[in-house]
Amino acid sequence: MIELARQYGRYGYRRVAVLLRDAGWSVSDGRVERLWRREGLKVPPKQAKKGRLWLNDGSCVRMRPEHRNHVWSYDFVHCRTDDGKAFRTLNIIDEHSRECLAIRVKRKLNSTDVIDALTDLFILRGPPAFIRSDNGPEFVAQAVRDWIAAVGAKTAYIEPGSPWENGYCESFNGRMRDELLNGEIFYSLREAQIIIEEWRTHYNTKRPHSALGYRPPAPETIIPMDQRPIMH
């Protein structure tokens, strides 16, 4: 438990309890909490519940995802390498599964990079019904809007100055900054790309997610040897 707390310093006892059970330990959340407190480990305070935002006409601004590939959202996060040079990440998530579909890391990202990243995902997964983003110039560029419409998806822009409308991606960005960016020194852009991709894989396959019953968004599937297809 202490080793997991050291490795994942921003996890609370519930996520650590899930990881312990995944590793074969037969422990309840209550027992882990008691040991957690006894060892003087940090217990994160409960977050206050957030209300929905309602417009003047009584309609709710947030479209709730109903299934995988229903609503994707994407946004930028800013960071710096150790030499002080800035870089950006383009984060794309599936709002229903909470899976992080891709993170592009470059010194500069523009509308062409948005299209390139989405193209790769559309080839692998097919287009979603809606793509949600803010009103930044990279997202509202006519080329991006025309391309999204051409592949059969619809855009769902949030109101200017209202980041809570893009709550799923904002939440992911906060986790990424809290659990990764704030605790890492990147000596080069390439190092940042490798470490961030490793973290994305961990986030999708290992990290317990409270909204998913403390299961990861896309857990790894291991096929037993006797069930694997025979290659001729």
Side-chain angles (χ1 to χ4, degrees):
M1 182 190 72
I2 293 173
E3 178 57 33
L4 287 172
R6 183 182 297 114
Q7 185 175 359
Y8 305 113
R10 298 299 300 165
Y11 285 9
Y13 72 87
R14 288 188 179 89
R15 285 195 174 89
V16 169
V18 173
L19 294 176
L20 286 170
R21 287 193 289 271
D22 288 345
W25 294 86
S26 179
V27 290
S28 65
D29 286 0
R31 184 180 181 188
V32 173
E33 181 184 16
R34 289 193 296 273
L35 293 172
W36 188 271
R37 292 181 182 277
R38 191 187 73 182
E39 296 297 328
L41 299 172
K42 178 185 177 184
V43 180
K46 292 184 177 180
Q47 294 182 346
K49 294 184 178 180
K50 298 179 181 178
R52 285 183 169 183
L53 176 68
W54 297 88
L55 299 180
N56 292 333
D57 61 2
S59 61
C60 183
V61 298
R62 177 176 292 179
M63 177 191 305
R64 287 191 173 275
E66 298 176 359
H67 51 77
R68 284 180 181 267
N69 268 20
H70 181 210
V71 183
W72 292 358
S73 60
Y74 55 125
D75 199 4
F76 290 124
V77 170
H78 301 260
C79 194
R80 292 182 182 274
T81 46
D82 188 53
D83 57 9
K85 295 181 180 179
F87 68 85
R88 305 173 89 190
T89 72
L90 170 63
N91 302 340
I92 307 174
I93 67 169
D94 184 308
E95 292 191 358
H96 184 269
S97 68
R98 306 299 207 279
E99 181 181 1
C100 177
L101 305 177
I103 301 179
R104 289 289 179 94
V105 183
K106 294 180 67 175
R107 292 294 182 188
K108 295 181 179 180
L109 289 162
N110 53 34
S111 58
T112 301
D113 296 300
V114 173
I115 292 176
D116 287 345
L118 291 175
T119 298
D120 291 344
L121 290 174
F122 285 9
I123 291 172
L124 291 173
R125 300 170 178 264
F130 293 90
I131 297 180
R132 193 196 313 268
S133 71
D134 66 19
N135 288 273
E138 303 87 352
F139 300 138
V140 300
Q142 193 63 45
V144 175
R145 299 174 67 178
D146 291 345
W147 181 82
I148 289 175
V151 297
K154 297 180 180 179
T155 53
Y157 296 122
I158 68 172
E159 289 295 319
S162 304
W164 51 83
E165 294 181 33
N166 200 11
Y168 296 100
C169 209
E170 288 291 326
S171 176
F172 174 83
N173 292 347
R175 299 284 186 274
M176 178 180 177
R177 189 169 294 282
D178 185 46
E179 297 175 10
L180 175 68
L181 300 181
N182 288 347
E184 289 283 351
I185 298 175
F186 303 112
Y187 292 102
S188 68
L189 182 65
R190 183 57 183 157
E191 183 182 37
Q193 291 170 337
I194 293 172
I195 292 176
I196 289 172
E197 181 60 23
E198 289 177 347
W199 180 84
R200 186 184 76 89
T201 300
H202 170 80
Y203 179 90
N204 285 337
T205 62
K206 300 292 186 182
R207 181 189 185 278
H209 200 300
S210 58
L212 302 176
Y214 287 93
R215 302 303 302 169
E220 291 179 323
T221 301
I222 300 175
I223 303 176
M225 290 294 295
D226 58 354
Q227 295 182 18
R228 296 181 183 180
I230 299 175
M231 303 300 291
H232 295 285

